[in-house]
Amino acid sequence: MLKFLPYVLKGLWRHRARTVLTVSGTAIALLVFCFIGSVQQGLLSLTANAEADRTLIVFQENRFCPQSSRLPQDYERTIAELSGVREVVPVKVFTNNCRASLDAIVFQGMPSDKLKSARNLTLTSGNWNAFDDQDDAAFVGRDVAARRGLASGDKFTIGDVSVVIRGVFESPVAAENSLIYTHLDFLQRARGQDDVGTVTQLEVHLTDAANPDTVAKHIDESFRAGPVATTTRTKGMFQADTLGDLAELIGFVHWLGYACVGLVLSLVATTTVMSVQDRIKEHAVLQTLGLRPMRVFRLVLIESLVLSCLGGLLGVAASNGVLAFTGMSVAAEGVTIAFEPSASLALQGILVAIIVGIVAGLAPGWQAARTEIVSALRHA
């Protein structure tokens, strides 16, 4: 059937405006579909990976926004002595917006040695020595740097917090590329406050043999009668709870993705039906010249498939390009969801375009194949 591809393309080019409108509409719908998929993929990677199940987050009881949680930093020593605990990382979190935002800036302050051991960061510019030697130094994630146009040596201010960029990093965890890391004591004194001795949360890394639920229960029991009670959950559960409302919204938006698929199906099917109606005589002539009805059916199916795939490829390529170069993310209460482009998501978008192209061409193709030659040749 490939020898008939030039014929199909000429047919599409004959009605250029209609073809362009259909392809562009399909591309936009697939672009939205891939954007929705990238958000869902980012949320899943936060809550369902190995690190999320082997790391505990200790937070102040009945607190949610990072600005409201104030734990004594010396809780670190007590937790470090518990069985199954490999490392405890004190973290001070500051964000310019606790509500859901596409441009929230999230700072995490922690001791330099803990930052090196607890995070897998690859510096694309700058160096650790410059960071260690300066109190207000910061490492900026690749995505934040791209969005804000930041580079090593720049000064960055958000609200009452001003830092000097001493490096840009990449992380295999997509969400971390939207963070800014600073020294713990710097963030404790930032904004004119003196929070030395208090942290937002304690990040507890467990040994392979430890039971996360058991350790979490022991931690909360240890501080139940202390100055500040705690709530301890796995990192995945903590992030899922923190992003609860946003996760529900993302789940609802999932249906919008299906609506986009329906839109593509409608667009391609309508265009293919119009094409068949315009070429009733042409298909009759082809059958007169010896083409069997099933061959005509396959010609129409190929036309529908070409329309859908052209739009699908454009939409998938545009979405992955935008996501890769902009580093988009959404944050709420100090937790960031990265919009993650991936080969699997691109493949899913292309597969949707292929399936929609085939389904959209079935009815018009069947109509063209069943057309009676004599009545078709009489068609005005």
Side-chain angles (χ1 to χ4, degrees):
M1 290 299 292
L2 289 177
K3 64 182 179 180
F4 289 100
L5 186 59
Y7 167 76
V8 170
L9 294 176
K10 285 181 180 179
L12 293 174
W13 187 248
R14 191 183 309 164
H15 300 280
R16 291 185 286 276
R18 187 169 68 196
T19 299
V20 169
L21 287 173
T22 302
V23 170
S24 60
T26 302
I28 292 172
L30 263 296
L31 183 146
V32 174
F33 176 84
C34 289
F35 262 72
I36 293 170
S38 71
V39 179
Q40 294 173 324
Q41 192 166 287
L43 179 62
L44 183 63
S45 68
L46 273 182
T47 59
N49 58 48
E51 182 194 3
D53 292 333
R54 302 303 306 169
T55 303
L56 300 176
I57 300 295
V58 184
F59 214 70
Q60 184 174 350
E61 190 177 36
N62 300 322
R63 300 301 170 93
F64 300 97
C65 185
Q67 268 81 295
S68 66
S69 177
R70 295 168 60 86
L71 291 178
Q73 188 175 340
D74 59 10
Y75 278 12
E76 174 188 358
R77 292 195 296 270
T78 303
I79 296 173
E81 294 173 356
L82 295 177
S83 176
V85 175
R86 175 169 55 85
E87 183 181 26
V88 182
V89 182
V91 182
K92 184 75 173 177
V93 179
F94 167 73
T95 178
N96 65 325
N97 190 352
C98 262
R99 293 171 296 180
S101 172
L102 287 171
D103 194 31
I105 299 297
V106 181
F107 289 86
Q108 287 194 3
M110 60 182 70
S112 179
D113 59 328
K114 299 287 188 179
L115 178 59
K116 292 176 184 177
S117 61
R119 298 289 186 268
N120 182 17
L121 306 182
T122 301
L123 296 183
T124 57
S125 65
N127 61 79
W128 282 99
N129 290 333
F131 178 80
D132 291 337
D133 294 341
Q134 187 170 346
D135 291 339
D136 61 349
F139 282 148
V140 179
R142 175 196 62 201
D143 293 343
V144 178
R147 288 201 305 269
R148 296 281 181 156
L150 301 175
S152 276
D154 290 348
K155 187 173 183 179
F156 177 62
T157 301
I158 190 81
D160 297 326
V161 178
S162 294
V163 295
V164 177
I165 310 304
R166 287 305 177 197
V168 177
F169 68 84
E170 290 182 349
S171 171
V173 181
E176 290 183 1
N177 290 316
S178 293
L179 299 179
I180 299 177
Y181 289 111
T182 68
H183 294 285
L184 174 61
D185 54 358
F186 165 77
L187 212 54
Q188 288 172 329
R189 293 188 175 92
R191 298 172 292 141
Q193 299 183 7
D194 187 4
D195 287 338
V196 175
T198 66
V199 294
T200 303
Q201 63 196 44
L202 293 167
E203 195 173 281
V204 182
H205 298 264
L206 304 176
T207 61
D208 293 336
N211 184 309
D213 294 333
T214 301
V215 177
K217 184 178 179 181
H218 286 167
I219 291 172
D220 289 341
E221 287 177 349
S222 299
F223 303 118
R224 196 171 305 282
V228 179
T230 62
T231 297
T232 304
R233 291 160 289 181
T234 62
K235 190 173 185 178
M237 187 180 298
F238 169 79
Q239 291 171 330
D241 290 347
T242 302
L243 297 168
D245 292 340
L246 193 56
E248 288 185 11
L249 179 60
I250 292 172
F252 174 77
V253 171
H254 179 71
W255 294 103
L256 180 59
Y258 290 128
C260 289
V261 175
L263 176 61
V264 173
L265 180 61
S266 176
L267 279 172
V268 177
T270 300
T271 301
T272 308
V273 167
M274 293 173 66
S275 176
V276 169
Q277 292 295 329
D278 289 344
R279 292 154 56 193
I280 291 178
K281 278 189 176 182
E282 192 173 314
H283 289 148
V285 171
L286 289 174
Q287 292 188 56
T288 303
L289 294 175
L291 261 70
R292 295 182 178 276
M294 286 308 296
R295 183 66 63 85
V296 174
F297 172 80
R298 288 196 290 270
L299 280 175
V300 175
L301 203 63
I302 289 174
E303 182 174 329
S304 171
L305 193 58
V306 167
L307 276 172
S308 183
C309 287
L310 280 175
L313 288 171
L314 285 174
V316 169
S319 65
N320 278 266
V322 170
L323 292 173
F325 286 107
T326 61
M328 293 178 65
S329 64
V330 59
E333 298 181 14
V335 178
T336 301
I337 301 175
F339 290 30
E340 294 189 48
S342 67
S344 62
L345 184 60
L347 184 62
Q348 185 180 354
I350 293 171
L351 186 61
V352 165
I354 292 173
I355 293 173
V356 167
I358 293 173
V359 173
L362 291 176
W366 184 250
Q367 178 188 354
R370 294 187 62 190
T371 301
E372 294 184 4
I373 296 176
V374 174
S375 60
L377 290 174
R378 290 175 180 171
H379 190 270

